[in-house]
Amino acid sequence: MWRFSGVRAALRVLRAAGEQRSLAEAAAEGAAGAMERAVVRCVPSEPKLSLSFALADGSHKNMQRDQSEPLGRALSRIATNALKGHAKAAAAKKSRKNRPNASGGADAAAPGPEPAAAPEPVVKLYYREEAVAEDVLNVDAWQDGAVLQIGDVKYKVERNPPAVTELQLPRYIMAGFPVCPKLSLEFGDPAGCLFRWYREARPAAAEPEAGGASSAPPPPPPAAWSDTGVRGRVYTPSNADVGLRLRLHCTPGNGQRLGPSRELESVRPVEAGPGSCTFDHRHLYTKKVAEDALVRTVSYNLLADAYAQTEFSRTVLYPYCAPYALEVDYRQNLIQKELAGYNADVVCLQEVDRAVFSDSLVPTLEAFGLDGVFRIKQHEGLATFYRRSKFSLVGQHDVSFQEALESDPLHRELLEKLVSYPLAQEKVLQRSSVLQVSVLQSTKDASKKICVANTHLYWHPKGGYIRLIQMAVALAHIRHVSCDLYPGIPVIFCGDFNSTPSTGMYEFVINGSIAEDHEDWASNGEEERCNMSLKHFFKLRSACGEPAYTNYVGGFHGCLDYIFIDSNALEVEQVIPLPSHEEVTTHQALPSVSHPSDHIALVCDLKWK
C-alpha cells in the first residue's frame, strides 16, 4: 500500500512529477475513449476541497470534504453515494417493469422475487498503481493523475484543472457586429482555451399530411446545430445567421492542459442590427492597417455604463435615446465593431468601465491584434491599446493629479502658488482625475519610442481653473517621462479635455503659456479666483484641428476632445472625416441606436518627421 510520509518536501516533488496533460495528450485521450474524470478543486486558502464525478447510473456527484479529513472517510461517503445511486436505478427499473402496458396489463406476467440488496461497491484511490492509505489527509491524497475506482469504474483524478466559472453571451447579438462572451476562469488562461461556435440549423418546412382529419401540430423537434468553423473567442455573425441562435462550446485551458468543457446557447436569435451606423462611412478610410511608417491613433470617450444607466441619463440627459440603446450589452456591440473597423495602432479611451475593459474590450481587440492597459479613476477609468505587431509596452507612468500635486517634488512650485488660494486648492485636491502615460517601442526599429498620454479632465462647466491646473500637472509629468526618463521621445496626448477651443486650457496647450489675468482663473466666481501664470515647453498642436463638435447631446454640442501631438517630431498624414451632421442628428442627438456614445471618436494617421 502506498503511504504518504509526513515530509512536505516529498509531496511537492510528487506533485511536480504528477501527470500534466498537454493539449495534444488531451485530444488523443478523448479520441481513445479514456476513463472518466474526477475533478478535484483544492485551494490552500480554503478549508474544504470539492470532488466532482459522474456515477455509473448517470447521476452527477459534487462533494465537499474537509481538507484535513482522512481519505478513508471520503471514500466511505463515495461508497454510500454509489450504493444509493444503484438502489435508485434499481427502483426505477422495477417501476418500469410494473407500469401498465398498452393492453391494460402489467409489463411482467408475475412479480418475481425481490432482488438482493447490492453490496457496497469497493472504493479505492490509487496513485502510481498503489493504493493510497486511508489515514492520509484529503489535501495530500487527491493528487493530480491519481485513479479513483468505484466498483468496476475507474476515474482519472484531475486536481485543479482549468475551469470555467462564468460564461455568458451578450443579450443583443447582431449580424455584422463582433460577439465576445464574458468569460471567467480558475486555473486557466483565456489564451489557452478552445472555442467552437455553432449556429442553429434552420428547421425544415413541415409537409402537410395527406388526407385525414386535422390534428394538433406535433411538438417542435430539438434544435439541431451546425458548426460555423470559427475557433476563436470572438465570432461575427453574418446575415445568414439572422433569426438563428448561437451555441458556444468552451474548453478551458492554460497552455498545458484542458479542463471540463462548458456550453451555452444565446437566449435570443441573431438580429439584423440597426442598419447604417455613424462609423460605417469612416471605416471606408481605414479598411487596412496603416503602413509601418504611420501610427493610426484613436481617441474616444465611450460613455461609461455607470453614467448611461442612471435615471437622470434616461430622462434628462438622453431622453431622445431608445432605452435599449443605452444598455451596455447593446452599446458594446457598436463599440466593438467601431473600434475594430478603425484598424488603429494606438487607441486611447476614456470613461471605460472596469468590467467592459476586461470582459469586452480586451478579448475583442486582442482578436484584432491589440493589447491594452487600464487605469481606474473612481467608477470608471482610462484604457490605452496598442497594435502588438508594431509596438511593445516598455513603461507605464500613470499618476493621479491630486496625489502628484501633493507629493511629487516635480509640482512643488505649482503647489506653492495654489496654497495662496485655499478655496481653489481644496476644490482641485477633491478631484479624482488621472493621467495614463504609456511608453511604446517600435517592434521594427528599437530606437523609435513614443510617449502616449491619455486623460479625462474635470467635467464641470465652471471648472476652467481646475482643468488649467490639471493640465499643468499633466504636461510637467509628460515632460519628465519624455525628456528625463526616455530622452527625446515624441508625445501623443489624447483625451476628453472638457474644454472648447475658446477656453484657457486650450490656449495654454497650444500657445505654451497662460496669463495670470485670464478669465478662466475666475471660472467659478471671485471667491475661488486663483490668478497664476503657467508655462510649458512643448510645441503642441491639435492633430484633428478644431471640429465643430466632438460631443453632441440634446442640450449641448462642442469640441471637447483632442489628439495633441508634438509638432517638432510628428506630423499628420490624414484625418479620418467625422460623421456628417445628418448622420449625427438622424436620431436627434447622441447616443442613439446607431452610435454608442455621446462623444465622437477622433481618428488620424501620424508619422515621424
Side-chain angles (χ1 to χ4, degrees):
M1 178 177 289
W2 193 84
R3 179 181 294 274
F4 283 87
S5 71
V7 183
R8 293 285 168 175
L11 288 174
R12 285 195 292 271
V13 171
L14 288 169
R15 285 175 184 154
E19 227 175 326
Q20 296 288 317
R21 299 194 308 160
S22 68
L23 301 186
E25 289 170 339
E29 188 177 280
M35 68 179 75
E36 297 285 340
R37 70 190 341 169
V39 176
V40 173
R41 180 182 179 276
C42 185
V43 180
S45 60
E46 299 178 9
K48 293 182 180 290
L49 61 74
S50 64
L51 176 62
S52 176
F53 57 92
L55 290 172
D57 67 349
S59 63
H60 199 88
K61 296 298 177 185
N62 291 293
M63 302 173 60
Q64 297 277 329
R65 309 302 298 180
D66 288 334
Q67 293 193 26
S68 59
E69 174 190 61
L71 172 65
R73 292 186 189 174
L75 296 181
S76 177
R77 183 63 181 171
I78 292 171
T80 301
N81 281 335
L83 189 60
K84 286 180 181 177
H86 176 81
K88 189 175 179 181
K93 184 177 181 181
K94 180 180 178 182
S95 174
R96 285 194 298 272
K97 281 187 176 182
N98 293 333
R99 188 180 300 130
N101 59 29
S103 61
D107 286 342
E114 288 290 327
E120 187 170 295
V122 175
V123 179
K124 288 284 186 182
L125 183 66
Y126 296 90
Y127 190 77
R128 294 183 174 177
E129 300 183 352
E130 290 187 36
V132 180
E134 294 190 355
D135 59 351
V136 174
L137 303 184
N138 279 329
V139 66
D140 298 325
W142 297 95
Q143 294 295 309
D144 194 57
V147 174
L148 171 66
Q149 182 170 350
I150 305 175
D152 296 331
V153 183
K154 292 183 177 180
Y155 301 80
K156 183 176 181 182
V157 173
E158 296 185 20
R159 178 168 171 141
N160 294 342
V164 175
T165 57
E166 183 178 16
L167 188 63
Q168 185 179 330
L169 287 171
R171 183 179 172 197
Y172 294 99
I173 299 178
M174 300 186 291
F177 292 77
V179 178
C180 180
K182 182 177 181 181
L183 174 67
S184 298
L185 299 167
E186 192 171 45
F187 316 118
D189 173 14
C193 296
L194 305 179
F195 300 93
R196 296 175 72 98
W197 289 89
Y198 299 85
R199 70 167 62 87
E200 198 172 20
R202 290 192 183 277
E207 296 184 8
E209 294 183 12
S214 62
S215 59
W225 301 89
S226 60
D227 194 336
T228 65
V230 174
R231 296 293 179 264
R233 180 173 172 181
V234 176
Y235 175 68
T236 303
S238 67
N239 289 333
D241 296 328
V242 172
L244 305 176
R245 290 181 302 142
L246 300 179
R247 172 186 278 182
L248 173 61
H249 183 96
C250 173
T251 304
N254 57 16
Q256 296 178 313
R257 60 175 177 164
L258 298 171
S261 298
R262 283 270 296 273
E263 274 193 347
L264 83 162
E265 299 165 8
S266 61
V267 176
R268 297 160 61 158
V270 176
E271 300 176 26
S276 178
C277 291
T278 54
F279 45 81
D280 288 340
H281 183 72
R282 307 185 80 190
H283 286 171
L284 298 177
Y285 297 85
T286 59
K287 287 183 176 181
K288 297 180 180 179
V289 175
E291 59 187 73
D292 288 344
L294 301 178
V295 182
R296 180 166 298 146
T297 304
V298 173
S299 183
Y300 197 6
N301 180 325
L302 297 185
L303 176 57
D305 184 53
Y307 308 142
Q309 285 295 299
T310 65
E311 186 64 22
F312 182 73
S313 295
R314 288 190 290 267
T315 59
V316 179
L317 291 181
Y318 318 120
Y320 47 81
C321 183
Y324 74 86
L326 287 174
E327 293 181 21
V328 67
D329 264 6
Y330 181 87
R331 294 197 303 118
Q332 278 184 38
N333 278 281
L334 273 64
I335 289 168
Q336 290 168 176
K337 182 177 182 181
E338 179 173 7
L339 291 177
Y342 290 139
N343 283 304
D345 303 312
V346 172
V347 180
C348 291
L349 305 174
Q350 304 86 41
E351 287 197 26
V352 181
D353 300 275
R354 186 190 292 275
V356 168
F357 175 79
S358 59
D359 298 336
S360 170
L361 293 175
V362 167
T364 302
L365 295 182
E366 189 176 73
F368 292 96
L370 301 170
D371 289 337
V373 289
F374 180 72
R375 168 67 194 230
I376 191 68
K377 184 174 72 173
Q378 199 170 26
H379 304 297
E380 36 80 13
L382 306 168
T384 297
F385 288 85
Y386 55 92
R387 184 163 299 281
R388 56 179 172 268
S389 64
K390 283 191 175 184
F391 294 105
S392 61
L393 180 68
V394 295
Q396 289 179 257
H397 304 276
D398 307 344
V399 293
S400 154
F401 291 128
Q402 171 259 320
E403 291 176 5
L405 188 56
E406 285 192 298
S407 60
D408 192 333
L410 193 65
H411 313 293
R412 183 181 294 120
E413 183 181 343
L414 178 59
L415 182 61
E416 287 172 355
K417 290 181 181 180
L418 190 58
V419 167
S420 303
Y421 307 97
L423 285 177
Q425 179 187 8
E426 181 184 1
K427 289 290 183 67
V428 169
L429 296 180
Q430 285 175 349
R431 307 279 70 85
S432 60
S433 308
V434 295
L435 173 72
Q436 185 181 40
V437 180
S438 308
V439 177
L440 305 178
Q441 178 176 282
S442 168
T443 57
K444 306 294 192 298
D445 182 351
S447 67
K448 282 189 173 181
K449 296 184 180 69
I450 197 160
C451 176
V452 178
N454 181 20
T455 196
H456 185 187
L457 298 188
Y458 180 52
W459 65 273
H460 199 284
K462 293 184 178 181
Y465 76 88
I466 295 176
R467 288 185 284 276
L468 273 170
I469 293 169
Q470 288 181 337
M471 180 54 77
V473 174
L475 291 173
H477 183 73
I478 294 168
R479 176 179 169 81
H480 172 64
V481 173
S482 65
C483 295
D484 300 336
L485 301 183
Y486 304 89
I489 67 173
V491 170
I492 300 175
F493 190 6
C494 300
D496 174 359
F497 297 91
N498 275 309
S499 306
T500 64
S502 64
T503 59
M505 196 288 309
Y506 187 82
E507 179 182 327
F508 174 46
V509 172
I510 299 301
N511 294 341
S513 64
I514 189 81
E516 63 179 17
D517 60 351
H518 193 282
E519 62 182 5
D520 275 12
W521 289 121
S523 60
N524 199 33
E526 289 298 319
E527 285 188 354
E528 291 179 27
R529 176 185 287 274
C530 51
N531 291 35
M532 59 181 79
S533 60
L534 299 175
K535 290 184 178 180
H536 70 82
F537 300 93
F538 289 108
K539 188 179 178 184
L540 299 173
R541 60 169 289 203
S542 172
C544 298
E546 301 171 7
Y549 52 80
T550 60
N551 175 241
Y552 198 103
V553 295
F556 170 83
H557 64 271
C559 179
L560 304 178
D561 306 82
Y562 306 94
I563 298 175
F564 293 119
I565 62 170
D566 182 349
S567 58
N568 285 326
L570 297 170
E571 60 184 349
V572 180
E573 177 74 9
Q574 73 162 338
V575 176
I576 307 307
L578 272 66
S580 68
H581 186 67
E582 290 70 28
E583 289 174 311
V584 171
T585 57
T586 297
H587 302 281
Q588 187 174 336
L590 307 178
S592 69
V593 296
S594 62
H595 190 86
S597 174
D598 54 349
H599 286 252
I600 300 169
L602 296 175
V603 189
C604 62
D605 289 352
L606 307 173
K607 65 179 180 180
W608 272 270
K609 282 189 172 180

